[in-house]
Amino acid sequence: GAVVSQHPSRVICKSGTSVKIECRSLDFQATTMFWYRQFPKQSLMLMATSNEGSKATYEQGVEKDKFLINHASLTLSTLTVTSAHPEDSSFYICSAGWRGELFFGEGSRLTVL
Amino acid sequence: SQQGEEDPQALSIQEGENATMNCSYKTSINNLQWYRQNSGRGLVHLILIRSNEREKHSGRLRVTLDTSKKSSSLLITASRAADTASYFCATAASPGNTPLVFGKGTRLSVIA
């Protein structure tokens, strides 16, 4: 099966700083990737759809200026949490589709102090 | 938006017993999938059932789908302590590269 890799798997940052999370499709090209957020003991919520070469589509209630998404190549999408605050602490997971199936990254746990 | 609702929210059983989790959804789907997530870890894809299928098996897993009731169930037979995890159903409105909508999940604890 296809592999989606996320980096970093864990990151701790100070309040007010920005953090970038990378999502890579290792052995296939992904024109579309999806970013999810999961708070502790809750389910995954779709944040945005990342489109290669164009602007991301954000779900209602997700601030596009706070969660910057860049899909500059067919194998890489990045999510930047700008001016992070403790309430942004969460588990961020990306996924990408290949041959009709979605593959998920291992997730990135962000802790904002 | 989140459309799947699982019940129960939490389930605790003894090793060897069967565990049944249910999922309901609101809109038309192309397929429904079940995932497992160990605490603090990524998702593990368990099984996919298409809207024209009613039942599917994979090892100790049995999934049913009732599109008329917009519901699905996941049965884990002869549970093991290693099955302890959160289980989520997720629906896809169309095949291929579309986002999944996840249910709230069931936290399963299997006691040895």
Side-chain angles (χ1 to χ4, degrees):
Chain A
V3 177
V4 175
S5 178
Q6 277 184 246
H7 177 81
S9 58
R10 290 178 180 271
V11 57
I12 300 173
C13 70
K14 292 182 179 180
S15 187
T17 60
S18 294
V19 173
K20 181 185 285 187
I21 299 170
E22 294 184 347
C23 178
R24 292 182 185 275
S25 55
L26 296 187
D27 46 6
F28 66 100
Q29 293 182 331
T31 55
T32 303
M33 292 184 177
F34 305 104
W35 286 96
Y36 293 83
R37 179 169 55 184
Q38 183 182 32
F39 291 110
K41 297 189 188 300
Q42 295 189 27
S43 187
L44 284 79
M45 295 293 291
L46 180 67
M47 296 177 66
T49 300
S50 171
N51 304 299
E52 189 270 334
S54 65
K55 291 182 179 180
T57 305
Y58 291 83
E59 294 298 300
Q60 191 173 11
V62 178
E63 300 174 57
K64 62 180 181 180
D65 294 330
K66 181 166 185 64
F67 299 99
L68 301 179
I69 291 174
N70 187 310
H71 196 151
S73 78
L74 288 171
T75 59
L76 174 64
S77 175
T78 60
L79 168 68
T80 301
V81 183
T82 62
S83 186
H85 289 94
E87 58 265 31
D88 298 323
S89 297
S90 188
F91 194 53
Y92 293 87
I93 307 176
C94 68
S95 71
W98 186 66
R99 293 190 178 181
E101 188 174 347
L102 278 183
F103 295 90
F104 285 83
E106 310 95 327
S108 299
R109 183 164 302 284
L110 170 64
T111 302
V112 184
L113 303 176
Chain B
S1 62
Q2 191 168 31
Q3 69 163 358
E5 295 281 341
E6 273 113 317
D7 78 270
Q9 291 187 1
L11 179 62
S12 183
I13 59 173
Q14 296 289 327
E15 202 167 33
E17 294 180 339
N18 296 341
T20 300
M21 289 159 270
N22 302 296
C23 166
S24 62
Y25 56 92
K26 297 177 183 176
T27 60
S28 297
I29 63 169
N30 173 270
N31 65 75
L32 184 145
Q33 303 178 41
W34 285 91
Y35 287 83
R36 183 183 74 216
Q37 185 181 38
N38 286 39
S39 181
R41 307 292 294 274
L43 297 172
V44 174
H45 183 262
L46 296 177
I47 200 164
L48 180 152
I49 186 166
R50 292 183 171 79
S51 60
N52 61 351
E53 298 175 311
R54 292 296 166 259
E55 187 171 313
K56 211 163 181 180
H57 296 82
S58 176
R60 294 185 295 114
L61 307 180
R62 173 177 170 256
V63 168
T64 63
L65 178 64
D66 187 335
T67 52
S68 66
K69 295 181 180 178
K70 291 187 168 59
S71 67
S72 173
S73 68
L74 170 66
L75 168 67
I76 304 174
T77 60
S79 63
R80 306 166 181 168
D83 294 328
T84 295
S86 290
Y87 291 81
F88 296 93
C89 69
T91 57
S94 56
N97 208 11
T98 57
L100 295 177
V101 178
F102 285 82
K104 294 182 178 179
T106 293
R107 291 191 302 279
L108 173 66
S109 297
V110 181
I111 303 166

